[in-house]
Structure formats: C-alpha cells, structure tokens
Amino acid sequence: MEFENLVTLIKTVSDSKLTDLKYEENGVKIQLRKRQEGVPVEVVRQMPAAEMSALPEVSAEPEGKIMNSPLVGVFYAAPAEGEESFVSVGDTVKKGQTMAIIEAMKLMNEIECEFDGTVEEIYVANGQPVEYGQPLFRIR
C-alpha cells in the first residue's frame, strides 16, 4: 500500500464512526484504532524492511502508560450512583489505588492502578460497556 493511500485510509477511518480496522494485503498488515472522540490513537503497519525506509517516522502513541481493561463488562467510575468518581483527570494516583469498577456477571471488580503517576486521560464514560484489553486510563 502506498503512503498516500495509507493517509487516505487513516483520514477515512477518523471521519467515520468506525473505531477499529484491521487490513492485510500481500504481507502488509495495518491496524487502525481511534478513541471514542474520533482521534486515531494507534497505527500499526508491518512490511518488509526495504519499504520501511521510504516512510517518515510518525508516532501516534500518547505519552504515558495505558491501563487496559482486564475483563469484559460495564465500567463504573464511582463506587455508587451519585457518588464522586474514584479518579479524575489531573489526579495523582498510586499503585494499588482503586481507579474504577468493572461489573462482570453481576460481580463488581475493583480496577487497581498499575503504577504511580498522574491521570492524563480517561477513555471510558461511566456506565459504558468495555471489552478485554480496551484502554481505560492514560497515566503519566
């Protein structure tokens, strides 16, 4: 796939409601994912090393560490309805601190912070279903 076609593909996915796309052709694999807001967050392209030198370096990875969902379920930002969220953007967090709850099969699973830092982004809204491996938080 030529670079111009790749740029067009990225723009098309960004402008659509599509949140995830995987494409493979002649040994070239492309995976595009975007945040709920519609901003591309990950671009993965695998190809022979000879073609790699022709592409400019582009980093779509945000700074910080991403905490992903350890299970499928419903995301809850607070311990109960009407209560304050466990964390908000800008909060300083410690490893082991409760960040959210994911309800799976009528069990409430506390999601603990995996590292110390500051909450830079929260990718999921309260009450939203989440998939295994889906990004929940970005900590820096």
Side-chain angles (χ1 to χ4, degrees):
M1 177 176 281
E2 293 184 20
F3 183 73
E4 292 79 17
N5 292 342
L6 179 61
V7 171
T8 302
L9 180 61
I10 291 169
K11 176 145 180 44
T12 302
V13 170
S14 294
D15 293 342
S16 74
K17 293 183 181 181
L18 192 66
T19 58
D20 194 8
L21 172 74
K22 292 180 184 178
Y23 176 79
E24 185 174 347
E25 177 182 32
N26 300 328
V28 175
K29 296 179 184 179
I30 299 172
Q31 180 176 351
L32 302 173
R33 252 187 229 140
K34 67 179 181 179
R35 295 186 194 136
Q36 297 300 327
E37 301 86 28
V39 179
V41 294
E42 181 178 1
V43 176
V44 178
R45 184 172 187 205
Q46 297 176 343
M47 63 178 62
E51 290 184 39
M52 293 296 280
S53 61
L55 294 175
E57 295 266 336
V58 177
S59 175
E61 290 294 319
E63 287 187 29
K65 298 175 184 174
I66 304 295
M67 280 187 52
N68 297 315
S69 177
L71 62 157
V72 175
V74 178
F75 177 89
Y76 293 106
E81 191 173 332
E83 291 191 28
E84 191 173 319
S85 296
F86 288 107
V87 295
S88 299
V89 172
D91 287 355
T92 300
V93 293
K94 298 280 185 196
K95 184 176 181 174
Q97 176 180 340
T98 301
M99 302 282 289
I101 292 173
I102 295 181
E103 179 184 5
M105 299 180 67
K106 300 195 181 195
L107 293 174
M108 298 299 195
N109 301 280
E110 289 189 357
I111 306 305
E112 295 182 352
C113 191
E114 299 168 0
F115 19 72
D116 296 344
T118 302
V119 178
E120 292 287 321
E121 286 187 79
I122 301 173
Y123 297 116
V124 185
N126 189 51
Q128 180 180 349
V130 293
E131 296 292 328
Y132 173 80
Q134 179 178 342
L136 302 175
F137 303 96
R138 182 169 58 92
I139 313 271
R140 191 161 159 205

